[in-house]
Amino acid sequence: MIGWPPFGLAARILCACCVLVAPLAVAQDTARRSGYQDMGRSLQAMQDDDMANPAMLWVQEGAALWTRRAGSADKSCADCHGDVGGMAGVAARYPAFAAGLGRPVDLEQRINLCRTDKQKADALADESRELLALAAYVARQSRGRPIAPPDDARLQPFIAAGDALYRRRQGQLNLSCAQCHDDNAGRKLGGATIPQAHPTGYPIYRLEWQGLGSLKRRLRNCLVGMRAEAYGYDAPEYVALELFLLSRARGMTLESPAVRP
Amino acid sequence: MRLALALLLLAVAGAPARAQEAPRPYTISGDAIVSSLTGQPGDAQRGRAIVASRQVGLCLLCHSGPFPEERFQGTLAPSLSGAGSRWSAGQLRLRIVDAGRLNPDTIMPPYYRTEGLERVAKAFAGKPILSAGQIEDVVAFLVTLKE
C-alpha cells in the first residue's frame, strides 16, 4: 500500500462509499419519503446500529421463539420453515391473501394462523411481546429489500377499501388520514413532523411508546388523535389500510425493525 | 356571492341525557356569525389559555401564534398572529364553529358541530369540541391579536 498511495486512497474512498451505501439507500427516493428521512441524525444512527436499536431486543426474543416448540403439535417455527434465512423477503410481501380465509392477513395474523393451524397452539394476543418478537424477527430477514406487495387480483377490492378508508373523515375532529399524511406531510403537527404514511419499518420501536408496536397500533394512535372510535384489533379495516399503504410504498426499502420518534 | 344562511341547531334527539348544555342556536350572515353564541361577551384571558392548551383548544397543533412560552407550534394552518386584524369577531366565530360551511375541504375541525360526523369516539359522542362559552372566550382573545 505504501508503494501505491493512489490505490490506497481509492480503496479508502471505496470503503467509505460502502459504509455510506446502507443509510443512503433509504434516502434515494426523492418523491416518496420514509419516516427515517424526517428523523434527526441520532435517531437514524440508533436505527442503523443493531447494538443501539432497542427493537433488536425483540428480534433476539423472536430468535428464541423461532426454535421453541409450542402447542399440541409440539412443533416450532423452525420445524416447518427451517432456518430463518429462508424467510428473507416474506415480510416485504405482507399483507397477503389467505386462501383458506378468503381475505388478506397481515404478518402478525399469518404468524397466528401458523400457531393455531400448524402448532395447534393458542393464538398469541394482539400486540403481545411474543407476537411482536416473532414479527420483528421475521421482518428483520427482509431488511434492505424492496417492499413488494403481491400482484394478486384478489387483493384489489381490499386495497380499494383501504384507499376509501384513508380518505374518509372520521372522529370529532372530522379528519381523514389523507388530509394530514398527503396534503400536509412534512409540516409540523405540534412539534412532530407529519410523515408521508409509508409503512417502511414495522414493527417499529417508537420512542413515544417506549416499546415495539405494530402498524395497527400506529393506526390506532391516529384514530385516537382524531377522536374517532378505534377499530378492534381484528377489524378488517386495519388490513385494508395496511394493504393500501404498502401498495403506495411498493419498491421502497424495508427498514424493519425501524426506530421512530 | 354568498347567500345569507339561517341555521337553527336543535338538541340532538335520542342522545343520552348528560350533564352538558344543549347546543345553542345561531344564525349565519354571509361568512359570519354576528351574535355571541351565549349572548354574553367572552373572556380574552380565558380564551388565551384555551387556545394554548393542547388538550382543550388544540389550536397550536396546527396553528402558530404569539405564544413565546409555547414550544412546538404547528405549521399546518396560518399563524394566529394578526387574526384580529384580518377577521371580525363574527367571521372568527363562524370559522371556529363550523369552518366547513365556508370551505368544505378545510382541515379545520368543526368546533361547535356534532352532526354529520362519523365514528366519533364514545367519550366525545354528541359533544362539541368546545362549549359555546369557550368559543366566545376564544373569539374574545383572537380579536385582540392585531398586527
Side-chain angles (χ1 to χ4, degrees), chain A residues 168-175 179 184 187-191 194 227-229 231, chain B residues 55 61 72-76 104-107 113 118-119 121-122 124 127-129:
Chain A
R168 177 184 182 187
R169 285 179 184 255
Q170 297 191 46
Q172 191 194 38
L173 303 190
N174 199 34
L175 297 171
Q179 282 182 301
N184 286 287
R187 297 207 171 105
K188 296 280 189 186
L189 181 72
I194 298 179
R227 299 185 175 176
E229 195 66 31
Y231 306 105
Chain B
Q55 287 77 41
L61 293 177
F72 305 127
Q73 302 182 17
T75 61
L76 273 66
D105 296 328
T106 187
I107 194 170
R113 170 154 72 88
E118 293 191 43
R119 307 195 66 260
K122 285 189 184 74
F124 300 101
K127 298 176 185 172
I129 301 169

Side-chain angles (χ1 to χ4, degrees), chain B residues 9 19 25 33 44 47 50 53 65 70-71 77 94 102-103 107-109 123:
Chain B
L9 280 182
I33 300 171
I50 291 167
S53 164
E70 288 292 332
R71 298 176 67 202
L94 176 55
L102 300 168
N103 170 17
I107 194 170
M108 173 82 176

Side-chain angles (χ1 to χ4, degrees), chain A:
Chain A
M1 227 172 81
I2 293 167
W4 296 90
F7 175 76
L9 183 64
R12 275 199 294 272
I13 290 170
L14 208 70
C15 283
C17 286
C18 291
V19 169
L20 285 173
V21 159
L24 281 182
V26 175
Q28 272 169 358
D29 198 320
T30 50
R32 292 181 301 171
R33 294 173 69 83
S34 162
Y36 179 92
Q37 292 161 269
D38 296 324
M39 305 196 300
R41 295 283 296 267
S42 60
L43 278 187
Q44 292 179 345
M46 184 191 285
Q47 174 176 315
D48 293 339
D49 180 357
D50 280 355
M51 299 300 285
N53 185 336
M56 296 311 289
L57 297 170
W58 279 260
V59 170
Q60 281 174 14
E61 188 170 332
L65 289 169
W66 185 258
T67 54
R68 187 178 302 166
R69 293 198 184 96
S72 60
D74 200 31
K75 278 183 181 172
S76 71
C77 307
D79 286 337
C80 287
H81 294 283
D83 185 86
V84 75
M87 303 303 281
V90 170
R93 299 194 291 269
Y94 269 77
F97 199 81
L101 297 178
R103 61 176 167 82
V105 294
D106 59 25
L107 185 61
E108 288 85 357
Q109 291 170 336
R110 176 70 253 173
I111 290 168
N112 263 336
L113 282 177
C114 276
R115 290 271 306 177
T116 55
D117 293 356
K118 311 291 184 192
Q119 294 178 301
K120 308 294 181 193
D122 290 336
L124 297 168
D126 292 312
E127 224 56 26
S128 63
R129 189 174 172 92
E130 294 85 356
L131 186 55
L132 290 169
L134 277 170
Y137 187 52
V138 172
R140 174 71 180 80
Q141 311 310 315
S142 298
R143 195 182 223 191
R145 293 195 173 223
I147 292 170
D151 288 315
D152 184 339
R154 295 172 298 180
L155 293 175
Q156 283 309 315
F158 298 93
I159 296 173
D163 190 345
L165 280 171
Y166 186 79
R167 289 163 216 297
R168 177 184 182 187
R169 285 179 184 255
Q170 297 191 46
Q172 191 194 38
L173 303 190
N174 199 34
L175 297 171
S176 71
C177 311
Q179 282 182 301
C180 278
H181 296 281
D182 285 352
D183 301 349
N184 286 287
R187 297 207 171 105
K188 296 280 189 186
L189 181 72
T193 301
I194 298 179
Q196 281 185 352
H198 292 127
T200 44
Y202 285 88
I204 60 168
Y205 183 89
R206 196 172 191 213
L207 269 62
E208 189 181 313
W209 297 334
Q210 295 284 300
L212 204 71
S214 69
L215 178 51
K216 277 197 191 88
R217 183 176 177 189
R218 183 65 189 80
L219 293 171
R220 288 170 70 94
N221 278 186
C222 271
L223 288 167
V224 169
M226 292 148 65
R227 299 185 175 176
E229 195 66 31
Y231 306 105
Y233 263 100
D234 56 352
E237 281 87 350
Y238 290 124
V239 183
L241 274 168
E242 290 170 47
L243 269 171
F244 171 65
L245 295 177
L246 283 154
S247 71
R248 284 157 45 112
R250 178 188 294 272
M252 296 178 76
T253 304
L254 199 74
E255 304 162 33
S256 306
V259 174
R260 292 290 183 270

Side-chain angles (χ1 to χ4, degrees), chain B residues 8-13 15 20-26 37 112-115 126-128 130-132:
Chain B
L8 187 66
L9 280 182
L10 300 170
V12 182
Q20 74 183 81
E21 61 177 28
R24 312 277 184 122
Y26 57 84
L37 297 175
Y112 201 64
R113 170 154 72 88
T114 54
E115 294 169 326
K127 298 176 185 172
L130 293 179
S131 70

Side-chain angles (χ1 to χ4, degrees), chain B residues 66-86:
Chain B
F67 305 92
E69 77 282 14
E70 288 292 332
R71 298 176 67 202
F72 305 127
Q73 302 182 17
T75 61
L76 273 66
S79 170
L80 298 175
S81 297
S85 301
R86 296 192 293 275

